[in-house]
Amino acid sequence: MREGDEPQVSLSLLEIFGAMMRCQTTVEAAEQLGISQPAVSNGLRQLERELGITLFERAHRRLEPTAEALSLYEEIRPLFGVLRSFSLRARDIRQGKSGRIRIVATPPIGHTAAPRALRALLEERPEVSVSYDVRRLSDILAALKEGSADVGIALAIDQDLDVNVEVLHRTHMVALVPVGSALANRSEVTASDVAGHRFVGLEAASRLGQILRSAFDRDHATYDPRVEVRYCSTAAVLAQAGLGIAVVDPYTAEFHHSPELVQRPFSPPCEISVVLLLRKGVPRSRLVHSFIEELRRQFRAPPSG
């Protein structure tokens, strides 16, 4: 290095210097850094050339740090703590153990399977922070498109041109029957059975409402609810209040489990899908991958209740 030139030292050379100061032999420094012993020796010689300072002198078959080396090491010792912290944080992010995930879900999944998946995700990830919200489907789609959410979870959506839709699980709607009803002892409740009793229907404007009406048509049953609502959650609440039978998704049935109601399979079968919603063109982080895997584990077993 020429007189007056400012040394330009790479972090890799400083790491070699720091390891050598801690270990005091090139063999141990190489093991600590995961590189070869010649690479350590070459790095030290290069650092001395760039600094224009002798850092180590051979004594008794060992390299002993000079006074200049000891002075420089004290100067940069805090840097090694910063580098280690940086490396550990990068490792945690890479392994999905650190970072932030933003999740939005519609009520049926947002109140049942998704919280259980989130609990499993966080059990071994104390450094992970979460933004979690339960919203209507239209709000979830908007959040994903504008980039304010990483993952959306919903029921009964086939596709959306602006987000990626991936089916996580397929299930069927169920009937919630008051315990005092004549249908409570049935092993299965049909659309024709429901049509002969008071029942709470779902609006045709909703996707689940359309699926339910189709089931009545297939069973040649009259769809004439005394009360009609938009959301399965509302239908379950009204059924619990004694306003009649409700046909809802099994996650709503789980969330509104009550001694006043019994849950029965509904026929004709009304298949519905639990779907994962992701913004198009955005790679999935390791943390998002991990949450999705926990969701899949939750859906391998049927909802309880």
Side-chain angles (χ1 to χ4, degrees):
M1 185 179 69
R2 293 180 303 176
E3 187 75 22
D5 285 352
E6 181 178 340
Q8 301 293 324
V9 181
S10 69
L11 285 175
S12 61
L13 292 181
L14 290 180
E15 286 183 313
I16 291 173
F17 172 62
M20 189 63 192
M21 292 296 291
R22 292 188 297 271
C23 301
Q24 297 189 339
T25 72
T26 55
V27 173
E28 290 179 15
E31 290 178 354
Q32 185 177 99
L33 295 173
I35 60 178
S36 68
Q37 185 269 339
V40 171
S41 298
N42 292 335
L44 292 175
R45 285 194 291 269
Q46 181 181 344
L47 181 60
E48 288 181 328
R49 287 195 303 270
E50 292 185 2
L51 295 177
I53 297 172
T54 299
L55 298 173
F56 296 92
E57 293 178 341
R58 185 168 294 280
H60 308 293
R61 303 180 66 179
R62 294 172 63 89
L63 290 178
E64 297 289 345
T66 63
E68 291 81 3
L70 292 170
S71 176
L72 289 174
Y73 184 62
E74 289 303 314
E75 185 73 23
I76 66 169
R77 187 195 293 268
L79 173 63
F80 298 116
V82 173
L83 290 175
R84 177 168 175 77
S85 177
F86 176 84
S87 298
L88 291 175
R89 178 56 61 92
R91 182 201 63 188
D92 289 345
I93 292 174
R94 183 176 67 251
Q95 296 177 352
K97 295 181 178 179
S98 180
R100 181 173 177 82
I101 185 170
R102 301 166 300 173
I103 304 165
V104 285
T106 53
I109 306 303
H111 290 153
T112 54
R116 292 193 292 268
L118 183 59
R119 180 183 62 191
L121 178 79
L122 297 180
E123 279 180 351
E124 298 181 357
R125 295 173 173 84
E127 298 299 319
V128 170
S129 63
V130 180
S131 170
Y132 188 88
D133 202 1
V134 175
R135 304 184 191 176
R136 296 182 303 174
L137 177 59
S138 59
D139 293 333
I140 291 176
L141 295 174
L144 289 168
K145 292 170 190 175
E146 70 186 21
S148 61
D150 302 310
V151 182
I153 315 153
L155 279 178
I157 176 174
D158 295 325
Q159 63 179 355
D160 186 281
L161 297 179
D162 296 320
V163 299
N164 288 326
V165 180
E166 178 182 328
V167 175
L168 289 172
H169 183 66
R170 299 186 188 277
T171 185
H172 295 87
M173 297 180 75
V174 298
L176 294 179
V177 182
V179 292
S181 169
L183 301 180
N185 294 325
R186 298 280 184 90
S187 60
E188 177 184 88
V189 173
T190 68
S192 295
D193 293 332
V194 174
H197 293 73
R198 288 190 306 169
F199 72 96
V200 180
L202 300 174
E203 288 181 358
S206 69
R207 174 66 175 153
L208 292 182
Q210 296 170 12
I211 292 173
L212 184 57
R213 286 169 184 261
S214 175
F216 273 72
D217 290 341
R218 281 181 286 150
D219 206 31
H220 304 290
T222 302
Y223 186 82
D224 186 24
R226 185 173 185 182
V227 181
E228 198 169 51
V229 299
R230 183 170 183 82
Y231 300 112
C232 284
S233 180
T234 309
V237 169
L238 296 185
Q240 186 176 350
L243 274 74
I245 299 167
V247 180
V248 301
D249 66 90
Y251 303 102
T252 294
E254 175 192 350
F255 185 69
H256 291 278
H257 178 70
S258 164
E260 287 82 21
L261 299 172
V262 294
Q263 178 181 320
R264 295 290 180 263
F266 178 74
S267 181
C270 296
E271 184 179 89
I272 52 176
S273 301
V274 181
V275 296
L276 179 72
L277 306 173
L278 296 165
R279 190 180 181 190
K280 286 189 174 180
V282 177
R284 303 180 190 184
S285 69
R286 184 62 63 88
L287 191 54
V288 168
H289 272 293
S290 297
F291 178 65
I292 293 172
E293 285 306 307
E294 294 297 346
L295 276 173
R296 293 188 189 282
R297 290 189 184 96
Q298 293 300 321
F299 292 126
R300 288 184 189 127
S304 60

